Amino acid sequence: MNLVWFRTDLRMADNPALLHALETGESTLALFVVHPEQHQHHGEAPQKLEFIKAHINDLVKRLGQLNIQSLIEVAPWYSDVPALIEKIINQHQVKKLFFNANYWLNEMKRDEAVIQMSQQSNVDVKTYHSQYLLPPGSIRKSDDSMYHVFTPYKNKFIEVLKQRYQLPLSIPSEIDADVKLPDLLPEEFNSPQWPVGEKAAVERLKKFAKNNDYQQERDFPAIDGTSSLSPYLAIGVISAQQCLAHVLKQQGEPAFNSTWVSELIWRDYYNDLMYEYPRLAMHKTFKPNAVDHWYHSPELLDQWRNGQTGFPIVDAGMRQLLAEGWMHNRVRMIVASFLCKLCLIDWRQGEAHFMAHLLDGDLASNNGGWQWSSATGCDAAPYFRIFNPTTQSKKFDPDGSYIKKYVPELRDVGVKEIHDPKSNTRSLAMYPQPVIDYKSARQQALAWYKDNPVN
């Protein structure tokens, strides 16, 4: 009996653990384990757990069509997993265990314990790479050290990727099977914006790869100019390899150098950094001597969290996060710069708030983005690069459509005023006054960063 352990790979296509298990021709059992306490301990969004449960249920049904039986188990903590899998091994006479590798500290410790237990039980363990375009550690400098600047990393990455690129593994052929399904997980996820299922994710990918003008539209939050695939990538409903394959199919080899593929490479880069420097998973700054004492202002932090800063583009983004569990990437940069560089509040407060609400919450990418914004991270934005929220708003939401969608009290405000409403307009619209003065806050930030070096 084979056992395939699904984790951040909730799909059938391009899933090497599943497909190699099926190639053996032996009976195969699928295992799904949810970790509610561990999930909560990591500060991840409750709706993300519901999204995971919904996709487990969907995948269990589809595996049933291949005559593959599934087990759905609950293990509160990662440390509970080895004993759980040992029990399954004994009950089902498992001879081979297949799973795709994870690369973060707690997950690797869990997997090492499972591998050790399995080997003691004379179970052959097969692990595969599937979560990123390249395994961590694939891209090194000539002295075998990790790149600390993204551009040379990306250039080397593309060179290696072209040499190693292979088409994604195909999906198994579904058969008309009648398998008794296990008791499915109770789920509360219901969002038209994020339809559940591998097929829905692939259709979204195909549509984006065929019709997108990402380079021109990606920075405008009112436009459907991004792929919106990040929630599916975060839990492995689709793979980065599938994303690359669909873009290559539409654009050919030039796609390797496209802006969207560059964003996929950023995802690998942040994962590589967390793999190389586990301290990043422990709330440490990447730069060892970076500033690490920040202003403490609970009231200002709550105003930011709740979208009540009086800066429309910031408030629109924060309200979108609360309402949808997602935020446009350009707006993520704006709200992060506002918190860290204009309010001088610890980036970890923003990192935690994002993880607590994001459907696409990803430890490495979220940490990398926040440390980039705060100037404490690897190849971060320099301390003096401070986004002006009003200028950003005028440039990337020129007619105020995005603002009006999420800040409805401003929907009747004219285009000339909506980015920086005047006091009388704010009063009539019941919209808050700005919580900071941008010019003075910027000068304060520049002086503060000079007194508290980030290098």
Side-chain angles (χ1 to χ4, degrees):
M1 172 70 75
N2 294 330
L3 179 64
V4 179
W5 177 21
F6 288 83
R7 298 100 66 78
T8 50
D9 52 357
L10 300 179
R11 62 184 183 273
M12 290 171 61
D14 199 36
N15 189 324
L18 172 63
L19 295 171
H20 286 299
L22 295 179
E23 284 176 353
T24 67
E26 300 171 12
S27 298
T28 297
L29 183 66
L31 172 64
F32 301 87
V33 186
V34 294
H35 311 280
E37 279 81 357
Q38 190 84 45
H39 197 89
Q40 186 176 16
H41 178 71
H42 285 167
E44 295 182 282
Q47 60 265 41
K48 181 183 175 184
L49 181 57
E50 297 304 321
F51 197 54
I52 290 171
K53 289 179 181 179
H55 279 90
I56 289 175
N57 289 346
D58 178 75
L59 186 50
V60 165
K61 294 173 186 176
R62 297 182 65 221
L63 289 169
Q65 295 175 348
L66 286 174
N67 206 25
I68 297 174
Q69 294 186 337
S70 297
L71 298 174
I72 302 177
E73 303 287 348
V74 177
W77 301 95
Y78 286 162
S79 57
D80 299 319
V81 173
L84 170 64
I85 293 183
E86 183 176 25
K87 180 181 176 182
I88 293 170
I89 286 171
N90 293 330
Q91 286 179 343
H92 296 274
Q93 298 182 324
V94 172
K95 299 301 180 184
K96 293 181 181 179
L97 172 63
F98 297 78
F99 62 86
N100 298 311
N102 290 157
Y103 302 111
W104 300 338
L105 186 62
N106 290 336
E107 287 80 356
M108 288 194 297
K109 287 182 178 179
R110 173 200 62 195
D111 294 352
E112 288 168 2
V114 168
I115 291 171
Q116 184 177 5
M117 176 278 301
S118 299
Q119 291 173 340
Q120 292 172 351
S121 301
N122 296 317
V123 171
D124 188 15
V125 180
K126 305 288 187 181
T127 63
Y128 304 90
H129 170 78
S130 78
Q131 197 171 0
Y132 297 90
L133 291 173
L134 294 174
S138 299
I139 308 302
R140 313 292 289 188
K141 294 195 289 187
S142 58
D143 62 359
D144 200 40
S145 63
M146 173 67 187
Y147 282 94
H148 289 177
V149 178
F150 176 70
T151 299
Y153 172 91
K154 181 184 77 169
N155 294 337
K156 181 69 174 292
F157 192 101
I158 292 171
E159 177 186 326
V160 173
L161 184 61
K162 287 181 178 179
Q163 296 170 356
R164 298 190 190 180
Y165 174 73
Q166 295 179 335
L167 286 171
L169 298 171
S170 60
I171 193 167
S173 299
E174 296 182 9
I175 60 176
D176 187 14
D178 184 18
V179 174
K180 184 179 183 303
L181 298 178
D183 292 333
L184 298 180
L185 290 163
E187 58 182 89
E188 299 177 4
F189 187 83
N190 182 18
S191 171
Q193 184 179 3
W194 309 109
V196 170
E198 181 177 354
K199 291 183 178 180
V202 171
E203 284 304 311
R204 179 170 289 191
L205 170 59
K206 288 180 179 178
K207 181 180 178 182
F208 172 77
K210 185 176 181 179
N211 301 319
N212 85 89
D213 190 7
Y214 185 77
Q215 174 66 32
Q216 300 300 321
E217 298 181 346
R218 67 191 180 104
D219 282 319
F220 296 87
I223 297 175
D224 186 19
T226 67
S227 70
S228 300
L229 289 167
S230 54
Y232 302 101
L233 276 167
I235 64 174
V237 179
I238 55 171
S239 69
Q241 194 80 349
Q242 287 174 286
C243 292
L244 177 61
H246 278 86
V247 176
L248 286 173
K249 182 178 180 180
Q250 295 296 325
Q251 302 178 18
E253 188 164 327
F256 280 111
N257 296 293
S258 67
T259 303
W260 193 61
V261 170
S262 180
E263 294 300 318
L264 292 176
I265 297 173
W266 268 109
R267 183 171 174 270
D268 269 65
Y269 186 53
Y270 283 142
N271 177 67
D272 275 11
L273 287 170
M274 188 152 286
Y275 177 80
E276 184 81 9
Y277 304 106
R279 70 174 184 271
L280 296 177
M282 304 174 189
H283 308 295
K284 304 293 185 182
T285 58
F286 173 79
K287 298 175 182 178
N289 299 321
V291 56
D292 208 21
H293 55 281
W294 303 80
Y295 285 7
H296 181 67
S297 177
E299 181 181 4
L300 187 54
L301 177 61
D302 281 344
Q303 289 166 325
W304 175 84
R305 284 172 174 162
N306 294 314
Q308 296 291 333
T309 68
F311 289 84
I313 192 71
V314 174
D315 293 340
M318 299 308 295
R319 296 185 196 186
Q320 181 184 25
L321 175 64
L322 295 178
E324 299 175 3
W326 190 82
M327 189 192 300
H328 188 277
N329 188 60
R330 166 58 59 172
V331 187
R332 294 189 197 201
M333 293 190 289
I334 295 170
V335 303
S337 178
F338 184 89
L339 184 72
C340 299
K341 290 183 175 176
L342 292 175
C343 300
L344 297 177
I345 290 176
D346 193 337
W347 58 270
R348 281 164 287 222
Q349 298 281 2
E351 179 192 31
H353 184 73
F354 268 32
M355 282 301 291
H357 293 281
L358 281 174
L359 199 61
D360 64 3
D362 175 277
L363 177 64
S365 293
N366 191 46
N367 179 276
W370 275 97
Q371 292 219 45
W372 182 89
S373 296
S374 65
T376 64
C378 183
D379 199 11
Y383 76 89
F384 51 82
R385 184 183 180 188
I386 303 174
F387 287 177
N388 180 329
T390 303
T391 302
Q392 291 281 310
S393 181
K394 290 177 179 179
K395 183 175 182 180
F396 296 115
D397 188 29
D399 65 356
S401 296
Y402 177 74
I403 291 171
K404 291 181 179 182
K405 180 176 180 179
Y406 296 102
V407 188
E409 58 265 45
L410 296 179
R411 62 178 173 262
D412 295 327
V413 175
V415 172
K416 291 184 178 180
E417 289 189 342
I418 195 167
H419 305 288
D420 187 16
K422 298 184 183 299
S423 294
N424 60 339
T425 306
R426 291 175 186 272
S427 298
L428 291 172
M430 301 297 289
Y431 183 64
Q433 297 296 320
V435 294
I436 60 169
D437 175 74
Y438 168 74
K439 290 183 179 179
S440 60
R442 185 178 187 278
Q443 292 304 314
Q444 181 184 35
L446 292 172
W448 184 83
Y449 269 103
K450 287 180 181 178
D451 291 339
N452 300 275
V454 293
N455 295 316

